Structure formats: structure tokens, C-alpha cells
Amino acid sequence: MDNRPVQLDDRTWLLVLTGAGISAESGLATFRDANGLWENHRVEDVAAPEGFERDPSLVWRFYSQRRTAASACEPNAGHRALVEVERRLGDRFLLVTQNVDALHLRAGSERVIELHGSLFVTRCSRCARPPFPDTRLYEDALPECEACRKAGRRSLLRPHIVWFGEPLFPGHFDRIEAFMGTARRGRLVFLAVGTSGVVYPAAGLVNLARAHGAEAWLLNAEPAENGSAFDHFVRGRSAEALPALLGTAR
Ligand code: BJW
């Protein structure tokens, strides 16, 4: 365990990966809480394309409830510490979040990749119409695609979320790899916060970063599944430990 701050100087490029643990301090449940169940459904069933095909009403109820829960929360000191570091580092900072709750954006982070999508974006399950911002709740009638209706067919809208078994959105991994490649000019630091290290490809980013010469830090409430890949482990609550680790605590 390591409790000194990460050294951030003018040669440092900082790549941060966040997970549900950073939003836990805003009051949102993590995934592997409650045995990975939501109303007695396995999360893998409501967050998978097969689940949507089987029971789209259930899936939209799950995501509508999550829209409501995320909208009722506020970003916390962990989110704000990342905003402050980004202001200091500028383009030498990149935040990759697995969270779909938009709390980093609401806190003011700008260089953000929402790797698993966003709760507040919807797209058609069939046509190539671009994903669009959407805060509505679909707890009764299922939403249909207007563009498909005009073309004479019926298709359901779906959350713009990367479900199990689906590939990441085009361009996201390229942008992360480009950042790591450019960071070789200086000193790359990889920091994972509040993630169990179970879900791939996000859990493999630490190995990719290390292959690019990164020093790797993990801040988590408990040891992570991929913990042995990190050079440093800070055990703690993100809202308290992250400002201390990044030297933004006052
Ligand atoms: C605190 C704290 C506090 C609490 N302070 N800490 C390689 C090996 C094995 C399997 C695979 C593999 N590659 C791919 C797979 C399959 C699969 C996968 O990884 N499965 C594993 C479960 C085994 N991956 C996929 O299917 C991915 N797709 C893919 O690989 O496609 C390939 C492909 C290519 C080409 C064509 C087709 C396919 C997609 C993964 C998508 C994940 N989606 C989800 C749900 C959707 C989002 C949503 O609805 O919200 O994303 S799953 C869920 O897990 C969610 C999360 O973003 C993700 C990660 O969870 P996270 O953030 O780590 O949360 P927790 O709860 O697990 O952990 C929280 C941690 O915080 C805990 O450790 C706590 O201790 C800690 N904590 N409070 C600090 N206050």
C-alpha cells in the first residue's frame, strides 16, 4: 500500500480510468453490490443484447430507474479532483470512464471518453440514425424509432450503452492508444479508481499502459481482480483519497 501523492510534473501525462466506485460516494450503487442483482435479475441479463431482445420493457425499466437515480445525484470531491488536475495538465490528461452516469461531465471534466456509453443518450436498435441526447423515462410504453417509422418499419429505440458481448464504440480505443503513444514523449502515469478490474477490455488498459512505459496506480476500496498489474495500490474511499493522491486536497 502506498499513501504518498502521485508525482505530477510538467513531463507527466495522466491517463485515468474510473469505475463505479467513484460514483458510489455520490450515492449510486456499484455493479458488484447486492451480488450483481437488480430486482432479482442478473445485471448481465438486463445489460446484454439478448436481454433486450427477450424483454425490452424490463431493460427500459432498468435504464429508466438508473436515469432517475443518476439525475438525483451530484458529483463528489473525487470527480472534482479530476477536473482540477485536468485544468493543470490540459492535453496531457485523459479520463476514460466506464460509468454511464455523466457525473464527470457534470463536474466539468472535458477530456472524457465514456467507454461504456451514457445513460442520457439513446439510439435506434436497427438504423444508423446518430445517437441523440435523451432524458425521458420509458417505464410504460416502449419507445419506437421515428426515422424507421417514416421508412415504413417498426424498430425500438435502445440505450446508447455498451452491453456485454458488444464491441466498444469505434474510435474510443484508438484515441486512448494515441494518447499513450504521444505520452511516450514524457512520463505516462496510469491511474485506475473505483473499479473491480473484472470487465474487459477496460480491465486490460493497465497492461496496455504498462507496455507504453506507464507507472500504474490503483485507488480502490478493496483489492481489484487485476491488482497484480499495478505498481502502487492505495486502499481508500475515492472522495477522500483521490484529492490527497492528486495533491488537490486543501
Ligand atoms: C470504491 C468505493 C469507494 C466501492 N471508493 N472504491 C476477457 C476476459 C474475460 C471476459 C472477457 C474478456 N474480454 C471480453 C470479455 C467479456 C466481457 C467481460 O469482460 N466479462 C467479464 C464480466 C468476465 N466484456 C464484454 O462483453 C465487453 N465487450 C467486448 O469485449 O466485446 C468484444 C467484441 C468485439 C467485437 C465484436 C463483438 C464483441 C463489453 C463490456 C461492457 C460492460 N458493460 C457494463 C454494463 C453496461 C453499463 C451500464 O449499464 O451501466 O458496464 S458491465 C458493468 O461493469 C458496467 C461497468 O462499467 C463495468 C465495470 O464495473 P466497475 O466500474 O468496475 O464496477 P464494480 O461494481 O465491478 O466495482 C466497483 C469497485 O469500486 C469495487 O472494487 C469496490 O471495492 C470499489 N469501490 N466504493 C473507491 N467509495
Side-chain angles (χ1 to χ4, degrees), residues 18-25 28-33 43-44 46-48 62-63 66 97-101 115-117 119 161-168 193-203 219-225 234 236-240:
T18 60
I22 194 164
S23 297
E25 309 253 353
L28 289 174
T30 64
F31 281 90
R32 277 134 202 112
D33 277 348
V43 171
E44 286 82 351
V46 280
F62 174 62
Y63 281 99
R66 302 222 1 242
T97 187
Q98 299 168 87
N99 300 340
V100 297
D101 54 36
L115 200 67
H116 293 163
L119 277 179
I161 299 271
V162 181
W163 284 331
F164 281 109
E166 293 186 322
L168 299 184
V193 183
T195 177
S196 55
V198 170
V199 175
Y200 285 81
L219 161 52
N220 211 45
E222 58 192 37
E225 193 78 12
V234 178
R237 292 178 34 235
S238 52
E240 195 178 273

Side-chain angles (χ1 to χ4, degrees), residues 113-174:
I113 294 180
E114 292 181 304
L115 200 67
H116 293 163
S118 171
L119 277 179
F120 302 103
V121 180
T122 294
R123 71 170 191 264
C124 179
S125 60
R126 184 197 270 187
C127 78
R129 158 192 188 183
F132 56 92
D134 187 13
T135 53
R136 287 170 293 182
L137 305 180
Y138 303 109
E139 284 168 320
D140 301 317
L142 283 169
E144 292 195 11
C145 174
E146 198 56 15
C148 283
R149 195 184 54 75
K150 284 184 187 144
R153 53 177 189 247
R154 295 184 72 181
S155 326
L156 289 181
L157 296 178
R158 59 161 280 178
H160 187 53
I161 299 271
V162 181
W163 284 331
F164 281 109
E166 293 186 322
L168 299 184
F169 300 126
H172 278 177
F173 234 80
D174 293 347

Side-chain angles (χ1 to χ4, degrees), residues 188-240:
L188 177 60
V189 174
F190 177 81
L191 167 63
V193 183
T195 177
S196 55
V198 170
V199 175
Y200 285 81
L205 279 181
V206 58
N207 303 102
L208 194 59
R210 290 194 57 159
H212 281 81
E215 173 187 317
W217 290 73
L218 170 67
L219 161 52
N220 211 45
E222 58 192 37
E225 193 78 12
N226 61 350
S228 61
F230 290 84
D231 303 297
H232 308 278
F233 174 42
V234 178
R235 188 172 194 151
R237 292 178 34 235
S238 52
E240 195 178 273

